[in-house]
Amino acid sequence: MYIEAVPNRHSPPAILLRETYRDGGKVKKRTLLNLSDWPRERIAGFKMLLNGGTVIPKSQQAITIVRSLPHGHVAAALGTARKIGLDRLLGPKLAPAQAGGNRCRDLVLALVVNRILDPGSKLAAARALSPDTATSSLGEQLGLGMVDEDELYSALDWLAVRQPAIEAALAKRHLTGGTLVLYDVSSSYLEGRCCPLAQFGYSRDRKRGKLQIVYGLLCAPDGCPVAIEVFEGSTADPVTLTSQVTKLKERFALDHVVLVGDRGMITQARINQDIKAAGLDWISALRAPAIKALRDAGALQMSLFDERDMASITSPDFPGERLIVCRNRALAVERARKREDLLGATERDLARIAAAVARKREPLRGTAEIGLEVGAVLNKHKMAKHFTLDIADTHFGFARKIEKIAAEAALDGIYVVRTSLPATALDDAAAVRRYKSLSLVERAFRCLKTVDLQVRPVYHWLAERVRAHVFVCMLAYYLEWHMRQRLAPLLYDDTDKAMAEALRASVVAKAERSPAAVNKQTTGRTEDGLPVHSFRTLLADLATLTRNTLVTAIAPEQPFTLTARPTPLQQRAHDLLGLARTQ
């Protein structure tokens, strides 16, 4: 039997159910039923049934979604990792017979990508990657199968051995002879007391009583991370510089490097002992006592800034260096306001103590008792240097040090950039701009330590695994950095840096945002009308693009996968990342 449409002149065609038969050796056909009044959907279904289809009862779904996993953010991160060659940087793709080594590489890649998607412990990562407890399609896309935390620890050990080679490859990509290298240091606290790297030190996390580690990050001039090194938690910032100089000269084999570091990092001792000896140049800044000494010696005069905000000077205390003095007027006003607020708050609290000493009923008595109260106030507001105190058993008086306050106020908004580079190689404005580019490293630390990658807290006890954990986080930021560069039109990031720099009155002044960035921030929309996101919320939106496992009613034992249709925003993100339309 078959269905045939028979033309009917000026009327709609007749839809007939027919069959063929033989009559005396001839093939003939006859009409069994006129289906012209049937709806088209019923005719189409009947035709499929005649062609070998299966009838499905109305009570049964034709297609069932067996499982749905977040996929769009995996496709974005993993696709970008492969596009920038991060998988190849981690290690070679080995033959199937050497699947053990290849699996370590894939597990490390999974840890790096998962650190962006859903940062957490290694146990949480193992659960997220395993098929029966997966929280995304990452494990499926990498073909990992079942994963346990012991495998991930082994992968960390494998990565620790590979770290020098990977960093050398990154340096070859992003650093060349004569380039600038940004360097800064941060710290993170650890859980437990068994790691030999864990020591007490200056806690940038403000975690009193917690052991910590210190790590130094090397970045290219554009802020792209290149290498990271972990030190004991009690290591002072300048001490970390020695190994970085050795790394740049010996491991990376760079013939000439300009090291950019903050004023607490590149000290005079480090310049004399490490940087000069290695033949490196530097850009840094002077600390407050050195600036005060320049003023007292007459090398720095405030009349320099009557009509400008930047001037170049020299000093015999810094032979062979250029000193670029900058004065940010807006910063000067803000610092004066803060100082006056703190002085006022300190005076109010000290006046309260003075009233307690002078009252007739149950007065505050005793030099020690009064001193404790005064010390608590001064420790709270950090203004002890600006007050003279008169403490006795039955008396307490205080007064501002007017001359000292005025001397400090004269240097408000002043900072001095120091460099060994001649003006022919880097002019004053460029030197200041390069020093300010250290903010790119500070941004990297914010991404590493807060909601994006969450390097802390660290639960590992073995020193090499702690180092490998921090390196995984750095590789995750390397991937995030590249994703941010490509996704910038959808993010609040400024994509017109040239216009922003043109609007800036001076390199000393506060950075400006371009009109395009301001428009994105105020309207919440991109130029093509799509919603603007932060990096984290964009990943959350991409995660709603699911990868679905389905079965049909006629073939329930043959599941197949189907990716949801992307929204315009999701498609735009994948296009910006240069990924195929179906992942």
Side-chain angles (χ1 to χ4, degrees), residues 453-466:
L453 304 175
Q454 296 182 18
V455 68
R456 59 189 182 188
V458 183
Y459 292 97
H460 300 291
W461 291 358
L462 300 181
E464 291 307 310
R465 286 185 182 169
V466 169

Side-chain angles (χ1 to χ4, degrees), residues 337-512:
R337 183 194 65 79
K338 286 185 177 180
R339 181 189 300 106
E340 187 58 37
D341 288 347
L342 289 171
L343 287 171
T346 305
E347 282 183 324
R348 288 192 295 272
D349 289 344
L350 292 179
R352 175 180 53 79
I353 297 174
V357 174
R359 68 192 175 202
K360 294 182 178 180
R361 185 177 180 181
E362 297 182 359
L364 181 63
R365 288 289 183 265
T367 303
E369 287 74 9
I370 297 173
L372 287 174
E373 293 288 334
V374 172
V377 170
L378 298 179
N379 185 58
K380 176 181 178 182
H381 300 297
K382 312 299 182 186
M383 288 285 108
K385 60 184 177 180
H386 292 320
F387 285 92
T388 58
L389 304 173
D390 180 14
I391 303 176
D393 286 338
T394 60
H395 170 74
F396 170 61
F398 62 93
R400 290 191 184 189
K401 296 179 180 178
I402 303 299
E403 293 183 0
K404 188 167 185 178
I405 294 173
E408 182 180 276
L411 296 178
D412 281 349
I414 294 287
Y415 58 93
V416 181
V417 175
R418 62 185 299 194
T419 179
S420 60
L421 291 170
T424 54
L426 201 68
D427 63 24
D428 292 349
V432 174
R433 187 176 293 109
R434 290 301 189 184
Y435 178 72
K436 287 190 171 186
S437 64
L438 280 173
S439 62
L440 298 174
V441 190
E442 294 169 358
R443 177 178 181 173
F445 284 137
R446 285 195 299 272
C447 290
L448 283 168
K449 298 174 69 171
T450 55
V451 295
D452 281 356
L453 304 175
Q454 296 182 18
V455 68
R456 59 189 182 188
V458 183
Y459 292 97
H460 300 291
W461 291 358
L462 300 181
E464 291 307 310
R465 286 185 182 169
V466 169
R467 292 189 173 99
H469 166 77
V470 175
F471 188 48
V472 164
C473 294
M474 192 215 83
L475 292 175
Y477 180 68
Y478 179 80
L479 174 56
E480 179 181 326
W481 185 89
H482 281 85
M483 293 180 69
R484 282 180 176 272
Q485 300 299 304
R486 292 162 170 77
L487 294 172
L490 294 177
L491 306 176
Y492 285 101
D493 298 11
D494 196 341
T495 57
D496 194 355
K497 299 293 181 62
M499 176 59 72
E501 192 63 30
L503 294 173
R504 195 175 186 178
S506 165
V507 69
V508 178
K510 182 181 178 181
E512 299 286 344

Side-chain angles (χ1 to χ4, degrees), residues 222-300:
D222 54 8
C224 181
V226 172
I228 198 165
E229 186 168 350
V230 180
F231 304 91
E232 293 182 351
S234 58
T235 307
D237 292 0
V239 177
T240 68
L241 199 61
T242 304
S243 61
Q244 306 310 308
V245 172
T246 303
K247 185 184 299 182
L248 290 169
K249 294 296 291 184
E250 296 182 5
R251 193 196 303 174
F252 298 162
L254 298 173
D255 52 0
H256 181 231
V257 175
V258 181
L259 192 62
V260 185
D262 68 18
R263 65 195 74 192
M265 182 76 58
I266 301 182
T267 61
Q268 192 63 48
R270 296 278 70 80
I271 290 174
N272 294 337
Q273 296 177 21
D274 299 320
I275 299 178
K276 282 185 178 180
L280 274 62
D281 284 302
W282 65 90
I283 300 175
S284 186
L286 296 183
R287 306 184 77 167
I291 297 175
K292 183 177 180 297
L294 286 176
R295 184 197 61 185
D296 295 342
L300 172 57

